[in-house]
Amino acid sequence: MIPFFSLTRQYVGIANDVEQAVLATLRSGHYVLGEPVENFETDFAAYCGTDHAVAVNSGTSALQLALLAAGVGPGDEVITVANTFIATVAAIVETGARPVLIDVDPVTLNMDPDAIAQAITPRTKVVMPVHLHGRLADMEAILTVARSHGLMVIEDAAQAHGATRGKRAGAFGDLGCFSFYPGKNLGAAGEGGAVVTDDPELARKVRQLRDWGQSERYMHQIKGYNFRMDAIQGAVLGVKLPHLDHWNASRRRVANAYEKGLPPSLARATGPFGEDHACHVYAILPEDRDAFRTGLAEAGVATNSHYPRPVHLQPAFAYLGYGPGSLPVTEAYAQRTLSLPMFPELTPEETAQVIDAVTALVEKTDATRTIKEEFAI
């Protein structure tokens, strides 16, 4: 079976460095924050091209603390998308604010800048775009709309480590948020996250919030949280970060091979796949996803689905009042999205096998060439 993702293959190439870093951390006796985390924060800020990076215990925590540092709270509204992992919206809810969900562009699957202005109300505080699948959202257009209304911008860059268009993901808005869940392009050996920013006051607030609101030991100025990063995660991430650009280039190699080799009739999240796309996910859109997934499994190809039920149709968020048909592009995409194997160590031979298996199934179905044509509403 060709795996959908493999951390064991990645580990082979970095095992010695990771084990030395972890053992050194264990022997230090300092297991929360500390030097490994501080070193990683410095290096990750430099990598992202920001002045500050604050490491936390998960990507969800990064989003929540970024929102709180931006002053978001009860009575406020945050504009974002439903075509994302649930953490994006859950983090907004945890601040007491209300998520306002808009539809996505049918080609990029990212936030539609033209839909932002219609969603703005006097209560709107923040616009939160998501770089879905690792593709940068149209940050220039999003920032133009947000700034014209005096709104802050917080990037959910949890899938886009290293994606670049003049700036790197996370460096466009007021704050950028990352997840280091093991399956991400830059993954820890457990949970982890970070907030990046150029604003020293925002960075100070995030640091204070992650550590029980302390301005100094046992002086709790504000309500805070235990969202600190473990030292071992900082050590592992410090070893992995220098490999990120190479890993992303390998992901783009796989994505562009798919793009070139898959049948033109197959609807998909189209490329080209350049540096503005970290290629966290490569999604196709078969007519019958379940049958297609079964067929690929029988051919020895593992798949996944990101995300088959959008956030606004999840029972947990029914109270927001969005029903079927409210976000038509998001819903049409969610009904059919199927993710093909995608990780840096996927070999050309395995990539070719995936293409052959998909091609054989496409011959039995009808499909539309582009998402835009498929989902023009």
Side-chain angles (χ1 to χ4, degrees), residues 47-222:
Y47 178 83
C48 291
T50 58
D51 291 336
H52 307 276
V54 184
V56 295
N57 63 340
S58 74
T60 308
S61 297
L63 291 166
Q64 182 179 339
L65 296 191
L67 288 161
L68 291 171
V72 173
D76 293 329
E77 294 178 350
V78 177
I79 297 172
T80 190
V81 295
N83 194 28
T84 183
F85 183 58
I86 200 167
T88 308
V89 176
I92 297 169
V93 172
E94 285 301 311
T95 69
R98 182 177 182 83
V100 175
L101 307 177
I102 61 176
D103 217 343
V104 295
D105 179 90
V107 173
T108 68
L109 304 178
N110 282 323
M111 177 178 281
D112 183 354
D114 293 335
I116 297 173
Q118 299 175 9
I120 294 173
T121 76
R123 293 185 173 184
T124 306
K125 196 75 168 279
V126 165
V127 177
M128 183 183 283
V130 178
H131 303 309
L132 190 77
H133 294 175
R135 184 196 298 271
L136 284 177
D138 188 350
M139 292 305 302
E140 294 81 4
I142 291 169
L143 284 164
T144 296
V145 177
R147 298 304 188 224
S148 69
H149 290 84
L151 304 175
M152 296 183 72
V153 175
I154 298 175
E155 298 172 63
D156 182 341
Q159 302 179 27
H161 316 66
T164 306
R165 188 168 59 234
K167 297 180 179 181
R168 289 197 193 271
F172 289 88
D174 298 285
L175 300 118
C177 301
F178 292 87
S179 166
F180 303 125
Y181 182 79
K184 302 297 186 183
N185 292 37
L186 179 63
E191 298 280 2
V195 179
V196 299
T197 183
D198 286 330
D199 188 317
E201 180 61 15
L202 290 174
R204 184 194 67 78
K205 289 180 180 178
V206 174
R207 288 187 188 279
Q208 189 173 15
L209 286 162
R210 77 172 175 185
D211 191 15
W212 291 116
Q214 296 182 100
S215 57
E216 57 184 282
R217 191 164 178 80
Y218 300 131
M219 181 60 71
H220 305 269
Q221 300 285 358
I222 58 175

Side-chain angles (χ1 to χ4, degrees), residues 72 81 86 137 145 175 180 194 223 234 236 243 320 327 339-340 347 350 372:
V72 173
V81 295
I86 200 167
V145 177
L175 300 118
F180 303 125
K223 176 188 174 183
V236 171
H243 298 275
L320 293 175
L327 301 174
S339 304
L340 297 182
T347 68
E350 289 172 322
K372 185 174 182 179

Side-chain angles (χ1 to χ4, degrees), residues 249-300:
S250 296
R251 287 173 174 271
R252 284 190 284 270
R253 171 187 57 77
V254 174
N256 282 310
Y258 284 154
E259 190 70 4
K260 181 179 179 180
L262 292 175
S265 62
L266 178 64
R268 72 196 73 173
T270 54
F273 297 93
E275 290 190 354
D276 65 335
H277 203 315
C279 296
H280 179 62
V281 166
Y282 186 95
I284 60 174
L285 300 162
E287 293 278 349
D288 186 336
R289 177 176 55 211
D290 292 342
F292 218 86
R293 190 170 192 179
T294 298
L296 287 177
E298 291 173 349

